[in-house]
Amino acid sequence: MKYIRSKEDSLKLGLSLFLLTGSVAGTIFCNRMTAEMKQELMILSQSSVMQTMPEEINSLDLLVRTLPGRIWMLTIVMLAAATPIAHWCMCFAAGYAGLANAVLICVLTMEFGVKGLLRYVLLIFPQGLCYMFAGYCVLWWMPAKEKRFTVPSVLFLVTVVCIGGLLESLINPRFFAWFEKIFL
């Protein structure tokens, strides 16, 4: 039991367990739906997920719509990480991320089959790398190393999320459209 008694290892186990639990719950949720619920989910996905890839890409409009939401999400996670129940808040955030991504993957595979998995990767690349790095810093590295939020650390995290927002609005739609024309 020495492995779990360490704060760092306990956090790893908790985050992994909640991420996996969220992923399994999202997958079970999508697979246990009735045909009518699946149809509703497909309609919802066409109006939200696929709306991010319009024919005419207005990068500035996409940036203005995307960036405040990403900054807001970072703010919520950082505030939750500063509470006395931060460990549970972080585990809940990992579970939510697992659930949301599992539902997105299920929706894409229901609509596009195996190509839906490739679409999922294209939807989160390259901005997902920045968001995962920021999440890694806030959810695991800072608590494990007992680092506190300082002005430079917060500015660094906001910068990483802003870079992710720029990639999401400027690079990702063009990359997705190019890749879709050639391969999908």
Side-chain angles (χ1 to χ4, degrees):
M1 290 308 282
K2 186 178 180 183
Y3 175 75
I4 296 178
R5 289 187 185 169
S6 153
K7 183 176 182 177
E8 181 179 338
D9 293 335
S10 173
L11 187 58
K12 279 184 198 176
L13 180 66
L15 290 174
S16 300
L17 183 64
F18 274 76
L19 183 68
L20 181 62
T21 303
S23 299
V24 169
T27 304
I28 290 172
F29 169 75
C30 286
N31 287 312
R32 299 291 297 172
M33 281 194 247
T34 63
E36 183 179 307
M37 288 173 66
K38 286 182 183 178
Q39 188 64 26
E40 293 286 330
L41 190 60
M42 297 298 284
I43 292 169
L44 181 65
S45 75
Q46 289 171 351
S47 67
S48 61
V49 175
M50 296 308 148
Q51 188 180 31
T52 60
M53 301 302 158
E55 294 295 322
E56 288 287 320
I57 299 169
N58 184 349
S59 298
L60 184 59
D61 183 45
L62 190 57
L63 180 65
V64 168
R65 287 186 312 171
T66 304
L67 197 55
R70 302 301 182 244
I71 299 282
W72 179 244
M73 196 60 123
L74 175 68
T75 304
I76 290 172
V77 171
M78 287 190 325
L79 288 174
T83 65
I85 56 170
H87 180 78
W88 291 107
C89 292
M90 291 176 216
C91 289
F92 176 76
Y96 174 76
L99 179 90
N101 282 299
V103 169
L104 179 59
I105 290 170
C106 287
V107 166
L108 289 170
T109 53
M110 282 190 288
E111 188 170 345
F112 300 105
V114 176
K115 288 183 179 180
L117 297 174
L118 182 59
R119 283 181 178 269
Y120 172 76
V121 171
L122 293 174
L123 281 172
I124 65 168
F125 183 80
Q127 72 275 7
L129 299 173
C130 292
Y131 300 147
M132 283 188 291
F133 179 73
Y136 166 79
C137 288
V138 173
L139 297 177
W140 184 78
W141 185 78
M142 290 182 80
K145 303 300 181 192
E146 297 181 357
K147 302 288 184 186
R148 302 217 181 265
F149 289 110
T150 59
V151 172
S153 67
V154 170
L155 288 176
F156 175 74
L157 290 168
V158 168
T159 302
V160 169
V161 169
C162 286
I163 291 170
L166 287 169
L167 291 172
E168 187 172 0
S169 58
L170 301 175
I171 306 297
N172 181 267
R174 287 169 177 77
F175 179 69
F176 187 89
W178 172 80
F179 203 89
E180 189 175 45
K181 282 181 187 176
I182 295 176
F183 297 104
L184 303 175

